[in-house]
Amino acid sequence: MSETKSLSLGKRWFMAAIVLLIMFAAFANQFKAPGLFKQLIPDIGFMNLGVINVGWMMSMFSVLGLVFAFPAGFIVQTFGIKKTLVFTICCLVVGSAIGALAPNPYVLLFSRFIEGGGVGFLSVVAPSALAVLIPGKQRGLVFGLQGITFPLGTVIGMNFATMIGTACGWRVAWWAGAALALVIAILLIFFKLPPELDRPGAKEFHDIDESIKPDWRSIIVVSVIYMLWQVIWVGAFNSFYSTFLQETFAMAATQASFMTTLTSIIMIVLGAFTGIVSDKLGTRKMLIIFCMVGTAVMFSFGWQDNIACVWIFLVGESVFASCITTGVMSIVPGLAKRPDKVALGMSTMAFFKCIGMVVGSAIYAPIVSALGYANASLYVLVPI
């Protein structure tokens, strides 16, 4: 991919920081809800909805990410990176504000639909923007930082929203989410890309060699690997490990939740480091292999009735988990080979990622019920 020299490296990193802040705001808003479920369920009447339940407050994000993955890629190519980023942050502001004013659960779910749509588009436009802004030799670092935005947004969103909601009511937490997104949206005033960067696939700005074909086979292979990772990480670990700790070791819910989020804290520390290592070694593929092999080893004993195994698993798996996003996100732009195919490559990755997130919990729950945690953790490793 040709690198334009119309921007200094400092300006590129400044705009990359804005993109990373938008991602942080998106994940913080996504995870502001779980800690306040007990408060908002009776307050707004979720218990009267039957099949339409509070679980959609979270699962809607994965479903919309799946639906919008490919449309987002084409929209980025058509309207440009900045306009798509403006759209995504506006979805967060408007959606959170509507949620704060929601008179019933239907309006609240609609507000989460708006927020989820913004996050769905962001899953494509953000990595596309980072790939365009940061030169190839430093992409490991920027995507390592991107990998931090999810655990950081999760930890901050869940804890601060819960504290605000407990003290002032859940609607105030929703207003706080809207305010956070609005402040970051203002920073987009300083996000000024030249046309050849804003629309990397536009032929009027690039002399694109049509004979160069993206390596779609490798992109799909990497995307499928990332999908399997989401099944393991989101479907098994994030969804069930806290419950496993409570049931197996009779832990209090607060202690089990803290131990589970410990992985996110370690990943925040290690995210940038893995990116720097990737850039120094000049390899992305080895990060992915390192993560998947390490995960297979850790999951083989991490769900045993042994607290020492639990601690080794939590620390060790955090190391391996910090590598996967950096490896996948930084390798796809190179496999796309052409500036007009980067967004589509990212869309492919996002599509498979969301499949893993959607089906993970659904397939893991019945396996746990039939075989128990220890055996179920081995079954989900079979695809690896």
Side-chain angles (χ1 to χ4, degrees), residues 113-186:
F113 177 87
I114 296 174
E115 291 182 84
V119 174
F121 275 87
L122 190 63
S123 66
V124 175
V125 65
S128 298
L130 296 176
V132 165
L133 283 167
I134 304 303
K137 292 183 179 180
Q138 295 184 354
R139 282 199 189 124
L141 175 57
V142 77
F143 284 116
L145 293 172
Q146 180 193 322
I148 292 174
T149 60
F150 182 79
L152 183 62
T154 301
V155 171
I156 297 296
M158 291 184 68
N159 288 282
F160 276 83
T162 302
M163 287 190 293
I164 294 171
T166 302
C168 307
W170 69 268
R171 294 182 188 273
V172 178
W174 255 247
W175 281 120
L180 172 65
L182 181 60
V183 170
I184 296 175
I186 294 172

Side-chain angles (χ1 to χ4, degrees), residues 28-88:
N29 272 283
Q30 180 177 352
F31 286 93
K32 68 192 172 193
L36 297 171
F37 278 164
K38 287 187 177 180
Q39 183 182 144
L40 66 85
I41 287 174
D43 182 67
I44 205 167
F46 262 108
M47 72 285 291
N48 301 320
L49 289 187
V51 177
I52 305 176
N53 58 61
V54 74
W56 279 104
M57 292 276 288
M58 296 303 296
S59 59
M60 189 178 297
F61 283 76
S62 298
V63 174
L64 290 173
L66 180 63
V67 171
F68 290 141
F70 285 111
F74 290 108
I75 288 173
V76 170
Q77 288 185 344
T78 303
F79 295 99
I81 288 173
K82 181 171 183 178
K83 289 181 180 178
T84 312
L85 285 174
V86 170
F87 172 77
T88 61

Side-chain angles (χ1 to χ4, degrees), residues 201-263:
K203 294 182 179 180
E204 61 265 35
F205 303 123
H206 299 273
D207 183 16
I208 296 174
D209 187 350
E210 299 286 350
S211 65
I212 299 176
K213 302 298 182 183
D215 188 353
W216 290 116
R217 179 181 177 182
S218 295
I219 290 175
I220 292 174
V221 168
V222 169
S223 299
V224 169
I225 291 173
Y226 202 34
M227 176 189 71
L228 298 175
W229 162 256
Q230 296 300 326
V231 171
I232 295 170
W233 188 248
V234 176
F237 179 77
N238 282 349
S239 298
F240 290 98
Y241 205 74
S242 178
T243 305
F244 158 74
L245 293 175
Q246 293 176 58
E247 294 181 357
T248 305
F249 301 99
M251 285 186 185
T254 52
Q255 183 184 0
S257 296
F258 172 76
M259 288 184 66
T260 304
T261 58
L262 180 65
T263 57

Side-chain angles (χ1 to χ4, degrees), residues 104-372:
N104 57 59
Y106 299 102
V107 176
L108 184 59
L109 284 172
F110 174 70
S111 75
R112 294 293 278 180
F113 177 87
I114 296 174
E115 291 182 84
V119 174
F121 275 87
L122 190 63
S123 66
V124 175
V125 65
S128 298
L130 296 176
V132 165
L133 283 167
I134 304 303
K137 292 183 179 180
Q138 295 184 354
R139 282 199 189 124
L141 175 57
V142 77
F143 284 116
L145 293 172
Q146 180 193 322
I148 292 174
T149 60
F150 182 79
L152 183 62
T154 301
V155 171
I156 297 296
M158 291 184 68
N159 288 282
F160 276 83
T162 302
M163 287 190 293
I164 294 171
T166 302
C168 307
W170 69 268
R171 294 182 188 273
V172 178
W174 255 247
W175 281 120
L180 172 65
L182 181 60
V183 170
I184 296 175
I186 294 172
L187 293 176
L188 282 173
I189 296 173
F190 305 101
F191 193 92
K192 298 179 180 180
L193 286 175
E196 67 270 19
L197 285 180
D198 191 49
R199 296 178 60 200
K203 294 182 179 180
E204 61 265 35
F205 303 123
H206 299 273
D207 183 16
I208 296 174
D209 187 350
E210 299 286 350
S211 65
I212 299 176
K213 302 298 182 183
D215 188 353
W216 290 116
R217 179 181 177 182
S218 295
I219 290 175
I220 292 174
V221 168
V222 169
S223 299
V224 169
I225 291 173
Y226 202 34
M227 176 189 71
L228 298 175
W229 162 256
Q230 296 300 326
V231 171
I232 295 170
W233 188 248
V234 176
F237 179 77
N238 282 349
S239 298
F240 290 98
Y241 205 74
S242 178
T243 305
F244 158 74
L245 293 175
Q246 293 176 58
E247 294 181 357
T248 305
F249 301 99
M251 285 186 185
T254 52
Q255 183 184 0
S257 296
F258 172 76
M259 288 184 66
T260 304
T261 58
L262 180 65
T263 57
S264 295
I265 297 172
I266 297 175
M267 288 169 66
I268 291 170
V269 176
L270 292 178
F273 176 74
T274 58
I276 293 172
V277 171
S278 173
D279 288 335
K280 292 292 185 182
L281 297 178
T283 178
R284 320 300 183 190
K285 180 179 178 180
M286 292 308 300
L287 276 185
I288 300 173
I289 295 174
F290 177 73
C291 169
M292 300 305 280
V293 172
T295 294
V297 174
M298 289 294 151
F299 263 70
S300 67
F301 66 83
W303 299 71
Q304 304 295 324
D305 185 9
N306 185 313
I307 195 65
C309 289
V310 167
W311 281 110
I312 295 172
F313 169 75
L314 290 174
V315 176
E317 182 57 26
S318 301
V319 175
F320 298 116
S322 65
C323 299
I324 185 69
T325 297
T326 303
V328 170
M329 295 292 182
S330 56
I331 202 173
V332 170
L335 294 173
K337 296 184 179 180
R338 286 166 37 183
D340 61 325
K341 299 300 181 183
V342 171
L344 187 56
M346 291 298 186
S347 295
T348 304
M349 177 275 300
F351 178 77
F352 280 97
K353 169 189 173 182
C354 290
I355 290 177
M357 294 174 70
V358 169
V359 305
S361 298
I363 67 171
Y364 194 68
I367 298 176
V368 168
S369 298
L371 303 175

